[in-house]
Amino acid sequence: MAVVFVLVAVAVLALLVGVHRYVWRRLVGDTTAPGSALRRAGTVAAWLLPLLSIGALVSGRAGAPFRLQQTLAWPGFLWLAALLYLTLALLVGEAVRPVLRRVLARRAAVGGTAGRADAAAGGDAAEIDSSPAEAPASGTPAAPAALVVEAPAPPSAAIHPSRRLFVARAVGGAAAVAGLGTVGYGTYGVLRGPRVKRITVPLAKLPRSAHGFRIAVVSDIHLGPILGRAHTQRIVDTINRTQPDLIAVVGDLVDGTVADLGPAAEPLADLTARHGVFFVTGNHEYFSGAAQWVDHVRELGLHPLENARVETAGFDLAGVNDVAGESEGQGPDFERALGDRDRTRASVLLAHQPVVIDDAVAYGVDLQLSGHTHGGQLWPGNYLAELANPTVAGLERYGDTQLYVSRGAGAWGPPVRVGAPSDITVVQLASRQA
């Protein structure tokens, strides 16, 4: 196992080195003069930015001071997103580069032909004389001047160094604008806060009295060195404006300890719903001290469902711990949460990861509410998320059980979302008896 880990680590490191070298060559090496200040600055950045990214990734797990984590997080994580989209843009540019070169070469060839034609047609410097030229002393008649034609430039002359530089700067500049623009817009989307999404889910066993019951689902808030108290406050204000009957916080609330992030979580105490605010753990809670966070959210007025169930408004609400808790002997226990319930009642399950859907089906759950995937967060990450999750985002049916997966309200790592906007979902339950 250790050998496999080392091999994977070496492969990832080699890939990152290769990608950084490629980006440096296209954005710096091909576009700047050797020894210039711009090339020196680009080279320093090519070394410094990946080091900041590594620092951002490991500082939290290494127990570094929270202030240091915050210092490293912004440039380090943003560079990871920028590297992704700069690389994708530059790869697209590889297809554009030869086309642009051919266009410039043809224009240069047309311009050169026109110039030679002008010179042949007239003017003081290249006038055509149809009279015989003065014969040389030997008496051999000279060829008419009009028959002396300049040979065309060889094809290799079309690829002029100045044109190479122009193409490199044009493609590199366009890639930089596209890549960094994408990251900027994706960052704005995260910092602006999640938008409200509304869906209606019919449940066959839901009584008429519970028809229209609204659950505000929020997952993956990811408070940490980047997203703090202001992020929490935006989420709380957005949820409260929807005036839900019940609020479900479906894991991955934090990326850090209670000591560092307790103040950032305090606005959660202002969440308001008639039937309460409920919480289940996500995998990141187990990286951050799950027991301490369960106690802390309870102090803030949330009700943790640790493999537990409550009866509310015509249906059973259950919650299971995240599968990451298995390493601490605190994993999901479906028998404890659902084993002795009355199956004639409708049931809603809070479970952070969609992968437990098979257990939910086996225990007769009507609706599972999950998060974890972020909807892929950074396109084309959604294709990778599909490999590990039955549903990446939205509502799908598995047998008699429906699964809804939220894209989440925050972001892990880079505070950037592309193609997977953050959301808070208001799930309105509908009775088929109504």
Side-chain angles (χ1 to χ4, degrees), residues 236 265-272 299-302:
V236 168
E266 286 178 358
L268 294 174
D270 297 327
L271 286 171
T272 303
E299 292 171 359
L300 295 175
L302 282 68

PDB file of all heavy atoms in Angstrom, residues 236 265-272 299-302:
ATOM      1  N   VAL A 236     -26.937  32.315   6.153  1.00  0.00           N
ATOM      2  CA  VAL A 236     -28.024  32.378   7.142  1.00  0.00           C
ATOM      3  C   VAL A 236     -29.112  33.331   6.673  1.00  0.00           C
ATOM      4  O   VAL A 236     -30.315  33.018   6.738  1.00  0.00           O
ATOM      5  CB  VAL A 236     -27.461  32.800   8.509  1.00  0.00           C
ATOM      6  CG1 VAL A 236     -28.589  33.156   9.471  1.00  0.00           C
ATOM      7  CG2 VAL A 236     -26.586  31.698   9.091  1.00  0.00           C
ATOM      8  N   ALA A 265     -18.599  30.378  12.720  1.00  0.00           N
ATOM      9  CA  ALA A 265     -19.837  29.605  12.687  1.00  0.00           C
ATOM     10  C   ALA A 265     -20.948  30.231  13.520  1.00  0.00           C
ATOM     11  O   ALA A 265     -22.103  29.794  13.428  1.00  0.00           O
ATOM     12  CB  ALA A 265     -19.565  28.184  13.188  1.00  0.00           C
ATOM     13  N   GLU A 266     -20.653  31.234  14.310  1.00  0.00           N
ATOM     14  CA  GLU A 266     -21.644  31.794  15.242  1.00  0.00           C
ATOM     15  C   GLU A 266     -22.943  32.269  14.591  1.00  0.00           C
ATOM     16  O   GLU A 266     -24.023  32.111  15.185  1.00  0.00           O
ATOM     17  CB  GLU A 266     -21.013  32.918  16.053  1.00  0.00           C
ATOM     18  CG  GLU A 266     -20.054  32.417  17.124  1.00  0.00           C
ATOM     19  CD  GLU A 266     -19.400  33.557  17.891  1.00  0.00           C
ATOM     20  OE1 GLU A 266     -19.685  34.734  17.552  1.00  0.00           O
ATOM     21  OE2 GLU A 266     -18.619  33.268  18.817  1.00  0.00           O
ATOM     22  N   PRO A 267     -22.930  32.850  13.382  1.00  0.00           N
ATOM     23  CA  PRO A 267     -24.214  33.268  12.787  1.00  0.00           C
ATOM     24  C   PRO A 267     -25.214  32.138  12.600  1.00  0.00           C
ATOM     25  O   PRO A 267     -26.419  32.396  12.447  1.00  0.00           O
ATOM     26  CB  PRO A 267     -23.792  33.867  11.439  1.00  0.00           C
ATOM     27  CG  PRO A 267     -22.397  34.347  11.663  1.00  0.00           C
ATOM     28  CD  PRO A 267     -21.794  33.312  12.575  1.00  0.00           C
ATOM     29  N   LEU A 268     -24.772  30.872  12.646  1.00  0.00           N
ATOM     30  CA  LEU A 268     -25.708  29.757  12.513  1.00  0.00           C
ATOM     31  C   LEU A 268     -26.754  29.769  13.625  1.00  0.00           C
ATOM     32  O   LEU A 268     -27.840  29.214  13.472  1.00  0.00           O
ATOM     33  CB  LEU A 268     -24.961  28.423  12.529  1.00  0.00           C
ATOM     34  CG  LEU A 268     -24.014  28.143  11.353  1.00  0.00           C
ATOM     35  CD1 LEU A 268     -23.237  26.863  11.597  1.00  0.00           C
ATOM     36  CD2 LEU A 268     -24.779  28.062  10.038  1.00  0.00           C
ATOM     37  N   ALA A 269     -26.438  30.403  14.738  1.00  0.00           N
ATOM     38  CA  ALA A 269     -27.393  30.492  15.843  1.00  0.00           C
ATOM     39  C   ALA A 269     -28.637  31.281  15.452  1.00  0.00           C
ATOM     40  O   ALA A 269     -29.674  31.167  16.120  1.00  0.00           O
ATOM     41  CB  ALA A 269     -26.723  31.132  17.060  1.00  0.00           C
ATOM     42  N   ASP A 270     -28.549  32.065  14.376  1.00  0.00           N
ATOM     43  CA  ASP A 270     -29.687  32.879  13.938  1.00  0.00           C
ATOM     44  C   ASP A 270     -30.603  32.152  12.965  1.00  0.00           C
ATOM     45  O   ASP A 270     -31.619  32.722  12.530  1.00  0.00           O
ATOM     46  CB  ASP A 270     -29.191  34.176  13.287  1.00  0.00           C
ATOM     47  CG  ASP A 270     -28.414  35.054  14.273  1.00  0.00           C
ATOM     48  OD1 ASP A 270     -28.756  35.032  15.474  1.00  0.00           O
ATOM     49  OD2 ASP A 270     -27.478  35.748  13.833  1.00  0.00           O
ATOM     50  N   LEU A 271     -30.282  30.916  12.587  1.00  0.00           N
ATOM     51  CA  LEU A 271     -31.153  30.165  11.692  1.00  0.00           C
ATOM     52  C   LEU A 271     -32.499  29.917  12.374  1.00  0.00           C
ATOM     53  O   LEU A 271     -32.559  29.548  13.560  1.00  0.00           O
ATOM     54  CB  LEU A 271     -30.512  28.833  11.312  1.00  0.00           C
ATOM     55  CG  LEU A 271     -29.350  28.898  10.313  1.00  0.00           C
ATOM     56  CD1 LEU A 271     -28.669  27.540  10.211  1.00  0.00           C
ATOM     57  CD2 LEU A 271     -29.824  29.371   8.940  1.00  0.00           C
ATOM     58  N   THR A 272     -33.563  30.102  11.611  1.00  0.00           N
ATOM     59  CA  THR A 272     -34.912  30.007  12.185  1.00  0.00           C
ATOM     60  C   THR A 272     -35.807  29.145  11.305  1.00  0.00           C
ATOM     61  O   THR A 272     -35.912  29.377  10.095  1.00  0.00           O
ATOM     62  CB  THR A 272     -35.540  31.409  12.322  1.00  0.00           C
ATOM     63  OG1 THR A 272     -34.678  32.226  13.114  1.00  0.00           O
ATOM     64  CG2 THR A 272     -36.904  31.324  12.993  1.00  0.00           C
ATOM     65  N   GLU A 299     -24.567  23.764  20.749  1.00  0.00           N
ATOM     66  CA  GLU A 299     -24.596  24.994  21.534  1.00  0.00           C
ATOM     67  C   GLU A 299     -25.187  26.160  20.739  1.00  0.00           C
ATOM     68  O   GLU A 299     -25.767  27.080  21.317  1.00  0.00           O
ATOM     69  CB  GLU A 299     -23.179  25.357  21.983  1.00  0.00           C
ATOM     70  CG  GLU A 299     -22.577  24.387  22.996  1.00  0.00           C
ATOM     71  CD  GLU A 299     -21.095  24.670  23.231  1.00  0.00           C
ATOM     72  OE1 GLU A 299     -20.564  25.606  22.587  1.00  0.00           O
ATOM     73  OE2 GLU A 299     -20.480  23.956  24.044  1.00  0.00           O
ATOM     74  N   LEU A 300     -25.041  26.111  19.399  1.00  0.00           N
ATOM     75  CA  LEU A 300     -25.581  27.170  18.538  1.00  0.00           C
ATOM     76  C   LEU A 300     -27.064  26.971  18.235  1.00  0.00           C
ATOM     77  O   LEU A 300     -27.658  27.793  17.533  1.00  0.00           O
ATOM     78  CB  LEU A 300     -24.791  27.227  17.228  1.00  0.00           C
ATOM     79  CG  LEU A 300     -23.322  27.639  17.348  1.00  0.00           C
ATOM     80  CD1 LEU A 300     -22.621  27.524  15.990  1.00  0.00           C
ATOM     81  CD2 LEU A 300     -23.188  29.048  17.891  1.00  0.00           C
ATOM     82  N   GLY A 301     -27.661  25.892  18.732  1.00  0.00           N
ATOM     83  CA  GLY A 301     -29.087  25.668  18.539  1.00  0.00           C
ATOM     84  C   GLY A 301     -29.434  24.671  17.457  1.00  0.00           C
ATOM     85  O   GLY A 301     -30.630  24.446  17.182  1.00  0.00           O
ATOM     86  N   LEU A 302     -28.441  24.052  16.823  1.00  0.00           N
ATOM     87  CA  LEU A 302     -28.710  23.020  15.832  1.00  0.00           C
ATOM     88  C   LEU A 302     -28.878  21.682  16.532  1.00  0.00           C
ATOM     89  O   LEU A 302     -28.341  21.463  17.626  1.00  0.00           O
ATOM     90  CB  LEU A 302     -27.574  22.933  14.807  1.00  0.00           C
ATOM     91  CG  LEU A 302     -27.528  23.992  13.699  1.00  0.00           C
ATOM     92  CD1 LEU A 302     -27.190  25.369  14.258  1.00  0.00           C
ATOM     93  CD2 LEU A 302     -26.488  23.615  12.637  1.00  0.00           C
TER      94      LEU A 302
END
